[in-house]
Amino acid sequence: MVFHPVLTYMMGTDRVLGLLPLLVLTFLCESLYCKPNNDVRSLAEITREISGYRAIAQKIIHLAVQGKAQNRSYDRLAAFTDTVGNRISGSQNLEVAIKYMYSALIQDGLENVHLEQVKVPHWVRGQESATMVLPRNHTMAILGLGSSVGTSSQGVEAEVLVVESFEELRSRASEAKGKIVVYNQPFVSYGETVAYRAYGASEAAKVGAVASLIRSITPVSINSPHTGWQDYQPGVPHIPTACITIEDAEMMARMARRGQKIVVRLRMGAQTLPDADSFNTVAEIVGSEHPEQVVLLSGHLDSWDVGQGAMDDGGGVAISWEALSLLRDLGLRPKRTIRMVLWTAEEQGGVGASQYFERHKGNISNFDLVMESDLGTFTPLGLQFSGSKQAEAIMQEVVKLLAPINTTALEEHGEGTDIELWMEAGVPGASLHTADEQYFWFHHTEGDTMTVQSPVEMNLCSALWAVVAYVVADLDDMLPR
């Protein structure tokens, strides 16, 4: 410990040493669990406060799982996705989706329902096809990747070079010029393997390729390609790029190992239009004592232009809406505001969320907790959380209230493209943790439909989301940072 030089000079070392207990107490008060009047609150005291919410948590859980709200989040999601369908950034469908949700939230009686305008990318897929012409004729299932350029109207027809890694591509760079590079990379994890989708086109262009086809980022396939966003690197030629199925990638790899010449004809009508106007959609339950302080719940309203966007991220939208409805139905108004934000243009890199952050970061000290559900609403296990050790200890007590539905896990590292800026700035963040082993089976595919969703699982997710949001918003103190 370093002694304060002014105190030492004025009072002498002995008197400063005598004040050490007070100095330590002051430090603990400022950095751990304190009320505004500087009274230290021990974790034991906060734990007792949280345990007092057990009966309220039970009411929320009962309403969501067995009561009149049972299956409501599922039914709302089904009506929404069946009516609107998929809703890619910049599209008419996304505009319809936002208007639909705005109207529905007002009709539900939620507070401060409004739209916050943002600018979003507008990429259009157009018609696309890929056909193997050698060593045999075969029509391939493809999905162009977001931000990809298109081909000419005649398309691109070229010999294929199959590689399994960026390292192999670089080692065979002399073979790549004028060819279509096919990546047959194994699926390790989404976080690691998605680099091929993101950067595969530019890496292929660096060695002279005319297009790239990337094995879909998934562990399982039934001849189903998976789309997603890709990023061209500065100063590198832009070449067309699409994802193909695991089956076709592996077939071409086998052909290449046998020494067979592979030729593919690729046609893509993709184009990027000027940025479009869009909106983040907001609704609240306004706090009774500290309305300026916020617990934020969220999911993203946009999706890719395939399937229904029911899992990614209709489920996150539906349970966030349902959490507010459950609290409204029970007449529960916490001390702080619970704000739901339905993000736009998440799939293009959290575009709507980043503009929301820029608009609201001046009020960052009043953001208590930010939450996002964007990895499916399967059977919930608990939360993933990022925050201080003190905040984590408090959240451990909060999730214990979910014992009746066995969702008490608190894992490290909250996730979510839309909340990461807040977490990086020090705001505690939480993401829904579910049994999501099958998430990447359907992710960004035509298979992302209501068939993936379960009303029972969504009931449980809604209960978890509502309990955590309410209790954190109603505690005497904000979570420590």
Side-chain angles (χ1 to χ4, degrees):
M1 177 176 287
V2 178
F3 296 135
H4 194 291
V6 176
L7 282 175
T8 303
Y9 173 79
M10 293 176 62
M11 303 175 62
T13 302
D14 290 343
R15 292 190 66 187
V16 171
L17 286 171
L19 289 174
L20 276 178
L22 179 59
L23 294 172
V24 170
L25 183 63
T26 301
F27 169 77
L28 290 172
C29 179
E30 291 177 349
S31 60
L32 299 180
Y33 313 98
C34 303
K35 293 177 72 64
N37 62 7
N38 291 330
D39 293 335
V40 175
R41 297 191 73 209
S42 68
L43 179 59
E45 289 175 306
I46 298 172
T47 297
R48 283 193 294 272
E49 181 189 3
I50 293 170
S51 67
Y53 288 96
R54 191 170 291 114
I56 291 176
Q58 289 273 26
K59 288 181 180 179
I60 295 171
I61 291 168
H62 175 78
L63 179 60
V65 178
Q66 290 100 21
K68 68 176 184 179
Q70 184 184 44
N71 299 347
R72 183 168 61 187
S73 60
Y74 177 91
D75 291 340
R76 284 172 168 175
L77 178 59
F80 171 66
T81 56
D82 290 347
T83 300
V84 177
N86 57 57
R87 43 208 182 272
I88 192 172
S89 172
S91 68
Q92 180 68 27
N93 268 23
L94 179 57
E95 185 177 338
V96 170
I98 292 168
K99 291 178 179 177
Y100 179 109
M101 195 59 62
Y102 175 78
S103 176
L105 295 172
I106 290 177
Q107 291 176 17
D108 196 34
L110 299 178
E111 299 166 356
N112 289 346
V113 178
H114 65 279
L115 303 176
E116 298 191 11
Q117 188 171 13
V118 296
K119 284 287 188 181
V120 300
H122 189 188
W123 176 81
V124 179
R125 177 178 304 282
Q127 297 296 313
E128 57 189 17
S129 65
T131 305
M132 179 190 293
V133 296
L134 283 177
R136 66 178 177 89
N137 189 272
H138 168 64
T139 300
M140 302 166 63
I142 69 165
L143 283 174
L145 294 177
S147 84
S148 177
V149 297
T151 66
S152 68
S153 58
Q154 291 77 30
V156 173
E157 184 172 317
E159 187 176 349
V160 162
L161 172 67
V162 182
V163 298
E164 295 195 356
S165 67
F166 290 137
E167 292 74 21
E168 182 181 357
L169 175 64
R170 286 189 282 269
S171 70
R172 300 177 66 187
S174 62
E175 304 174 50
K177 188 173 182 179
K179 294 183 180 176
I180 296 174
V181 169
V182 169
Y183 293 94
N184 182 40
Q185 77 288 341
F187 183 87
V188 179
S189 67
Y190 184 78
E192 181 174 341
T193 314
V194 75
Y196 288 90
R197 189 190 77 199
Y199 309 120
S202 286
E203 292 301 315
K206 289 176 183 178
V207 292
V210 294
S212 66
L213 297 174
I214 296 145
R215 172 173 164 159
S216 289
I217 314 303
T218 178
V220 174
S221 177
I222 48 171
N223 206 44
S224 48
H226 296 234
T227 190
W229 196 253
Q230 70 91 37
D231 292 298
Y232 289 121
Q233 297 175 29
V236 179
H238 295 186
I239 62 173
T241 183
C243 270
I244 59 176
T245 68
I246 290 178
E247 292 87 342
D248 282 340
E250 291 185 341
M251 178 179 68
M252 286 189 280
R254 292 192 301 271
M255 289 174 170
R257 284 194 294 270
R258 290 193 291 263
Q260 293 177 288
K261 182 178 180 179
I262 307 165
V263 175
V264 167
R265 181 186 306 120
L266 175 68
R267 290 192 176 98
M268 293 177 60
Q271 57 180 320
T272 297
L273 303 178
D275 285 355
D277 290 328
S278 190
F279 301 88
N280 293 318
T281 307
V282 184
E284 295 179 338
I285 293 178
V286 177
S288 61
E289 296 184 15
H290 308 291
E292 75 285 359
Q293 296 174 1
V294 175
V295 168
L296 186 147
L297 296 178
S298 67
H300 67 85
L301 199 56
D302 67 302
S303 73
W304 278 102
D305 56 342
V306 290
Q308 289 183 295
M311 179 193 74
D312 183 18
D313 182 32
V317 166
I319 69 164
S320 296
W321 175 12
E322 181 65 13
L324 297 191
S325 296
L326 290 168
L327 302 181
R328 187 270 328 277
D329 289 350
L330 291 169
L332 295 172
R333 185 178 295 277
K335 296 181 180 72
R336 293 173 196 83
T337 295
I338 299 178
R339 178 181 300 163
M340 177 186 71
V341 183
L342 307 180
W343 312 108
T344 190
E346 185 276 344
E347 297 292 3
Q348 288 65 38
V351 176
S354 65
Q355 292 175 58
Y356 181 90
F357 178 79
E358 289 300 318
R359 187 172 296 161
H360 294 277
K361 66 182 180 181
N363 195 34
I364 196 168
S365 63
N366 280 324
F367 279 77
D368 189 7
L369 175 68
V370 291
M371 301 167 63
E372 180 171 18
S373 170
D374 188 21
L375 277 172
T377 47
F378 302 105
T379 300
L381 305 176
L383 293 175
Q384 293 169 295
F385 179 75
S386 291
S388 68
K389 291 297 182 183
Q390 295 80 18
E392 182 180 348
I394 293 170
M395 292 299 292
Q396 287 280 5
E397 298 303 317
V398 172
V399 296
K400 289 179 182 178
L401 298 171
L402 298 162
I405 54 174
N406 195 30
T407 60
T408 58
L410 189 73
E411 307 291 340
E412 293 183 342
H413 306 305
E415 295 184 10
T417 299
D418 298 306
I419 61 172
E420 63 184 6
L421 290 174
W422 296 95
M423 293 189 292
E424 289 170 1
V427 178
S431 52
L432 182 65
H433 181 31
T434 71
D436 57 5
E437 295 84 1
Q438 297 181 6
Y439 179 78
F440 290 108
W441 298 12
F442 307 102
H443 181 247
H444 297 180
T445 72
E446 292 285 3
D448 182 358
T449 68
M450 280 303 299
T451 302
V452 179
Q453 300 297 121
S454 159
V456 173
E457 293 172 345
M458 291 187 68
N459 293 338
L460 295 170
C461 291
S462 299
L464 181 159
W465 221 225
V467 168
V468 171
Y470 177 77
V471 172
V472 173
D474 199 56
L475 291 175
D476 285 347
D477 304 307
M478 293 176 65
L479 294 172
R481 299 188 185 181

